[in-house]
Amino acid sequence: IVDDCYPYVASWVLRSDNDEARQVLVSVLSGTSSRRGPAVPEPEQIAAFMRGLRVAIVRSGSELGVSERASVAEKLRKVLMQVREAKLLREVVVNEAARTADVLLREVLEFVGGTAVPERTTEDVAVLRSLAEFAAVAAESVASGAAVEALGAMANDMGQLLAEATKSPQEAVRVAEVMADSAASLVLPSALSVAARTLGR
């Protein structure tokens, strides 16, 4: 029942940009961690939200009139537009990435003997615990073969995408243009925002 709710939460987050939606998103991603201290992302919560996000994007694509007969580039463009317009989701991801980078940079400085490194705060400890949990989940996923299965499915999807795109040179070019545009308008600005916020902390 809970998993069934995630697509609706994800859909709301994709369309909303207010404090209420921000609080809901942070609460969903952090799960029960706030009961132990500062709210930090939990692996299981993120996995569940990503599943819901995928369903929400597929549904929104259908609502936008993207039929199964649409070109690969058109399907890809609609999906990326949904993510690009989800300002709240991007903001939360950027803030969390900056917070994590800030903690890790200070840990590295302390490790190499840097001077005047601030002592760990309760929030720092929570972030490091969250990273340790992610590492443990990743290791378990690799050991159980789940990671290999997921990568295999991803490779299969990508193979199908490329196979469909290469049916015509024009379609392949359109897919490349969509990917390049997304990198320029989504990935690069987000990376710069993370760097700027990390340096500003």
Side-chain angles (χ1 to χ4, degrees):
I1 295 176
V2 174
D3 273 357
D4 289 341
C5 295
Y6 279 104
Y8 298 100
V9 174
S11 177
W12 181 43
V13 168
L14 284 174
R15 295 179 283 103
S16 304
D17 185 20
N18 54 55
D19 289 338
E20 183 182 5
R22 182 178 292 101
Q23 292 173 7
V24 169
L25 178 57
V26 172
S27 176
V28 166
L29 296 180
S30 61
T32 61
S33 67
S34 58
R35 299 176 188 173
R36 305 190 299 268
V40 291
E42 292 186 339
E44 296 82 2
Q45 294 296 116
I46 289 182
F49 179 78
M50 291 304 293
R51 290 194 297 271
L53 183 62
R54 178 180 178 278
V55 173
I57 289 175
V58 170
R59 288 177 180 172
S60 64
S62 300
E63 292 168 1
L64 289 171
V66 185
S67 69
E68 288 299 321
R69 300 176 62 183
S71 69
V72 180
E74 184 62 19
K75 293 176 182 176
L76 187 60
R77 182 178 287 107
K78 291 296 184 182
V79 169
L80 293 174
M81 280 177 59
Q82 288 294 299
V83 177
R84 184 188 305 175
E85 293 170 3
K87 296 179 181 179
L88 174 59
L89 179 60
R90 287 167 52 194
E91 177 188 331
V92 170
V93 170
V94 166
N95 284 340
E96 191 57 44
R99 177 170 68 161
T100 302
D102 174 55
V103 173
L104 291 178
L105 283 173
R106 286 188 279 112
E107 290 293 312
V108 170
L109 287 175
E110 184 176 2
F111 179 76
V112 299
T115 58
V117 179
E119 293 185 3
R120 282 183 184 173
T121 64
T122 304
E123 183 179 16
D124 294 343
V125 173
V127 170
L128 292 172
R129 184 184 65 242
S130 175
L131 286 175
E133 291 175 355
F134 273 99
V137 169
E140 182 180 348
S141 179
V142 171
S144 66
V148 175
E149 182 179 344
L151 288 174
M154 187 184 303
N156 182 61
D157 291 343
M158 184 59 68
Q160 291 181 356
L161 176 66
L162 293 175
E164 188 176 343
T166 53
K167 288 180 181 178
S168 73
Q170 294 82 3
E171 183 65 10
V173 170
R174 284 196 290 269
V175 170
E177 289 174 346
V178 171
M179 296 301 291
D181 177 64
S182 297
S185 62
L186 180 61
V187 179
L188 183 58
S190 296
L192 293 175
S193 295
V194 170
R197 297 189 192 189
T198 301
L199 292 174
R201 288 179 68 90

